[in-house]
Amino acid sequence: MSGDAKRPPADAGVHGDEPINIRAPFTRRSFLVGAGAAVAVAGLSGRARAAGPGAPDPIYRIHPAIGVARLGNADPSSFFIGPEVPGFGPLGDAPGTTVPAYKTPDGRVKPQGARFRIFEYASVNGQLTPVREVTLGTPGVVSIQWSVHLANKKASFFGFEGGQGEDRPPAARRNAGVADRRSLEIDFGGRTIAGASQGPVQFVPTGAAGESVPQTANGGPVIDYLGQLRTDAAGRLIVLGGQGKSGYSTPTQPAMPHWANNDGWFDDASDGPVTATVTIDVGGELREISMDPAGEGWVLCGPPDFAPGVPGSVTAYDLLLDMAVRHLDLPADNALYAPGGALARLAALKADFQEGGEPELPTYRPDFAAEIEPMLVAAYNLWWIDGLVNSKHNSLISPKLADPGPSAASARERVFSYMRAPLGAVGGQGSGTMPKILGDDPYIGQMPEAVKRLTLTPTQYALLRRWAAGAFDAPVDAPADPVITPHGLDRAALENCVGGAFFPGIEFGWQMRNPALFAEPFRLDHGAFSAYLGDDEAPIGPGHFSRQMALPWQADFNDCRNEGNYAWWPAQRPTHVLPSADASRRLDWARPDRRFEGGNRESTHEDMLLHWYKFGFVLEEGDMFIEKERAASIP
């Protein structure tokens, strides 16, 4: 395959050579960090400070630090809330309940909302500690006003060509012939919302000064909606993204030859900052309290997740955990990182990690249930969404792998021997060919194998090395009950997103892995500068992370199927699926009933643009993952 197009294998379509002979042991995932140690909303550790005249302002922070909304073309009022509890997919309003359906009765995809909450922090025994969630029902709280600014700057940005812009000069600009670059950006300005059960406040053109609205040949907006804001009954913020719409500015529909860079096209993916102001009554004095400098949020509005119960081999949480372990300073005097805190394991990993060592973690002992088993189960469950996975993955759920004793050593070492070593890491003794997923720059021959193909993060790899050596703690306790916690909100949003490879990615691209953009682990710094080579020296802002992604998004979504013996992101965009519980073969996820309109059996960019919402969601059924909610007829 050439570097400017993604192509599926020649035999894509009905796929899968073997009968069904594996069953998922469970679908709920363990916590990677802080299992059982996170602080519940009901009964937070410490006590809230009593506010009185002369008292210092309380410290407020938004969680999740990075929230994720997903596009959906159903009526926005049909939205569901994205994941809020680690180890679970999207839930209903109460922890532990599930989304009954991902589509409305008319077959359209429901948008996933990103819900944001505010937590009060205080010094407890000299450590900054989350003490309570702050809502409109909190004593002394008069109002909560949220501010969000979404934008889409894809059409004015550099084209995507692998690592160009990160470690070498950027590619050419998209729509290079358009002199007025601002005219290519979709930016209807920021929006605010306050109160209980309010909204929708929509991101639509209003004619206000400063708006940027790309025009069709007839003079109307190409994209007239980027999403909306709502609040729940407690005044928490809910952000909904766009409707999965793509359009063009030319008199007739332009060609769509590239999987990422198509001039004349626009779409309604977006991202931007989330801030809030809390007004409190202190002895009759009203105070407006902004978020702590390390407490502001961000929202990403990207494509749907069509396999919401199956995580990828490397999630966005894995990516940012590894960043914290290897590159970021941990906040001093913060209870989350203290023994017993939700991020105590992260602090221990950071203290022990030795870059390039063998082992990288000389003394750290992973917890099997919290840190190893989720990786094994994620790899095992890829069987349900990709025909490249065969029955050899059955061994990943063998009880033997939870045994640190010498009798299980060969089984553990065999699994580790298959793992591809990250850049700078000493590889194991074996093939080192897994994951079977393409990497950040797969089409440049001189690139190292660890760049052309996906690897686990260095921290994941180090944990597996310790496990293979038997230096880990066997599982003891059952998974914790689902509860809402500050860091749990951060993690739940991220662990359901792609953390690699970035060619360009699904929810965001490689800019997200730049430590210079972070105020502290998992939290973006709104004042950070782009650090994209060739970009203007300006702080990150609305549209910063979506601008790097494919334009329109459906083109890349179409091509993110298997290429020969390697996959892309089947955990978000399945490649092959089981159409029913009694089926004996996996089928192409993006298949037509017979042929698409152009007569082809394999979808094109244009086919995905028309029919993306008709394909099925891969959902839990008993102890299996089955394709559900597929349209009755495609096309």
Side-chain angles (χ1 to χ4, degrees):
M1 163 173 177
S2 65
D4 63 353
K6 296 181 180 178
R7 289 203 298 262
D11 62 347
V14 177
H15 193 92
D17 298 324
E18 60 204 290
I20 304 307
N21 61 358
I22 63 175
R23 298 169 71 81
F26 54 82
T27 58
R28 189 163 72 178
R29 288 168 279 149
S30 304
F31 287 21
L32 179 61
V33 174
V39 215
V41 167
L44 288 166
S45 61
R47 284 190 303 180
R49 179 175 44 208
D57 290 340
I59 296 172
Y60 293 142
R61 293 186 173 184
I62 294 170
H63 292 274
I66 301 173
V68 180
R70 296 190 183 274
L71 310 176
N73 63 345
D75 187 297
S77 64
S78 69
F79 74 91
F80 61 92
I81 299 295
E84 294 190 303
V85 177
F88 291 81
L91 303 176
D93 221 27
T97 61
T98 57
V99 179
Y102 286 82
K103 294 185 181 181
T104 52
D106 64 355
R108 296 186 176 271
V109 172
K110 297 177 181 178
Q112 173 179 301
R115 177 160 54 186
F116 293 87
R117 304 167 187 249
I118 295 173
F119 286 82
E120 181 177 343
Y121 284 68
S123 179
V124 177
N125 298 322
Q127 293 189 318
L128 190 65
T129 305
V131 294
R132 63 177 174 179
E133 184 185 5
V134 175
T135 70
L136 292 177
T138 302
V141 171
V142 177
S143 68
I144 299 174
Q145 178 172 287
W146 297 90
S147 299
V148 182
H149 192 161
L150 299 178
N152 177 309
K153 299 178 179 178
K154 291 184 180 184
S156 69
F157 197 53
F158 299 103
F160 184 84
E161 295 292 349
Q164 290 186 231
E166 183 179 36
D167 54 13
R168 54 194 186 274
R173 294 266 184 182
R174 293 167 176 153
N175 300 288
V178 178
D180 183 359
R181 307 306 293 173
R182 176 66 174 166
S183 71
L184 296 167
E185 297 177 354
I186 307 166
D187 185 352
F188 309 137
R191 299 289 188 271
T192 61
I193 192 170
S197 304
Q198 295 297 300
V201 174
Q202 300 187 355
F203 288 89
V204 296
T206 65
E211 286 186 354
S212 176
V213 187
Q215 301 290 302
T216 67
N218 296 326
V222 178
I223 298 294
D224 60 3
Y225 173 83
L226 283 182
Q228 60 180 249
L229 307 181
R230 294 172 178 253
T231 60
D232 68 10
R236 305 179 186 104
L237 172 69
I238 299 170
V239 182
L240 305 180
Q243 295 191 300
K245 178 182 177 182
S246 295
Y248 48 88
S249 56
T250 52
T252 58
Q253 180 170 315
M256 205 185 303
H258 197 270
W259 56 271
N261 307 310
N262 293 291
D263 285 357
W265 284 93
F266 300 83
D267 68 28
D268 63 356
S270 67
D271 71 284
V274 177
T275 60
T277 300
V278 181
T279 301
I280 59 175
D281 185 332
V282 182
E285 173 195 354
L286 295 184
R287 296 187 191 176
E288 293 186 353
I289 313 299
S290 299
M291 296 299 101
D292 179 71
E296 296 177 316
W298 205 275
V299 64
L300 307 169
C301 304
D305 180 355
F306 282 95
V310 182
S313 298
V314 181
T315 70
Y317 187 81
D318 297 326
L319 175 79
L320 297 189
L321 175 76
D322 178 71
M323 178 192 291
V325 168
R326 299 192 302 125
H327 299 301
L328 294 180
D329 294 330
L330 302 187
D333 303 323
N334 188 309
L336 291 175
Y337 301 90
L343 290 170
R345 285 190 172 275
L346 190 161
L349 282 166
K350 186 172 185 65
D352 199 48
F353 193 90
Q354 297 181 4
E355 195 82 41
E358 188 184 1
E360 299 90 340
L361 297 168
T363 64
Y364 185 86
R365 292 183 64 85
D367 178 277
F368 179 82
E371 296 170 292
I372 303 300
E373 188 176 40
M375 287 190 272
L376 303 179
V377 172
Y380 166 78
N381 277 335
L382 289 174
W383 188 93
W384 306 103
I385 51 177
D386 198 289
L388 292 174
V389 181
N390 60 34
S391 59
K392 291 181 181 179
H393 277 223
N394 292 8
S395 63
L396 295 173
I397 59 170
S398 169
K400 182 184 296 186
L401 298 183
D403 180 4
S407 63
S410 62
R412 297 192 309 270
E413 291 165 0
R414 180 173 174 79
V415 171
F416 182 68
S417 74
Y418 280 102
M419 296 299 107
R420 184 178 297 108
L423 284 176
V426 179
Q429 300 298 313
S431 64
T433 58
M434 302 295 286
K436 287 283 189 179
I437 295 176
L438 289 162
D440 290 340
D441 242 328
Y443 307 122
I444 300 178
Q446 66 267 31
M447 286 290 181
E449 182 71 6
V451 175
K452 293 193 293 185
R453 311 283 184 257
L454 180 68
T455 73
L456 300 179
T457 70
T459 300
Q460 285 180 299
Y461 193 74
L463 289 167
L464 280 181
R465 193 195 300 276
R466 290 289 283 169
W467 164 76
F472 69 97
D473 295 329
V476 177
D477 298 323
D481 291 333
V483 292
I484 298 292
T485 72
H487 179 68
L489 290 164
D490 296 347
R491 178 190 171 128
L494 293 168
E495 70 179 5
N496 291 278
C497 298
V498 169
F502 294 121
F503 197 81
I506 292 289
E507 298 86 2
F508 55 82
W510 48 252
Q511 269 263 281
M512 187 67 79
R513 67 183 175 199
N514 189 329
L517 302 186
F518 284 79
E520 61 179 45
F522 311 106
R523 194 174 294 275
L524 289 162
D525 178 358
H526 287 198
F529 281 70
S530 167
Y532 193 105
L533 298 179
D535 196 15
D536 296 333
E537 284 297 315
I540 62 175
H544 184 86
F545 295 100
S546 55
R547 66 184 184 165
Q548 194 178 356
M549 310 309 290
L551 180 62
W553 69 269
Q554 292 96 339
D556 188 42
F557 213 71
N558 180 76
D559 289 2
C560 291
R561 61 187 90 197
N562 293 344
E563 294 182 21
N565 292 323
Y566 290 89
W568 278 108
W569 302 286
Q572 267 71 20
R573 190 278 195 203
T575 309
H576 304 102
V577 296
L578 203 60
S580 66
D582 57 0
S584 60
R585 295 291 185 270
R586 291 166 287 182
L587 305 180
D588 186 356
W589 174 76
R591 65 194 183 277
D593 291 335
R594 288 189 172 82
R595 295 178 186 271
F596 289 103
E597 289 90 339
N600 49 301
R601 295 182 184 275
E602 188 176 282
S603 62
T604 64
H605 298 166
E606 289 79 7
D607 293 327
M608 188 61 69
L609 188 78
L610 290 172
H611 304 299
W612 63 269
Y613 66 95
K614 298 179 183 178
F615 301 116
F617 282 80
V618 181
L619 302 175
E620 184 181 351
E621 182 176 298
D623 56 1
M624 307 174 77
F625 287 102
I626 307 297
E627 179 189 53
K628 295 180 177 294
E629 301 188 60
R630 176 180 159 92
S633 177
I634 301 177

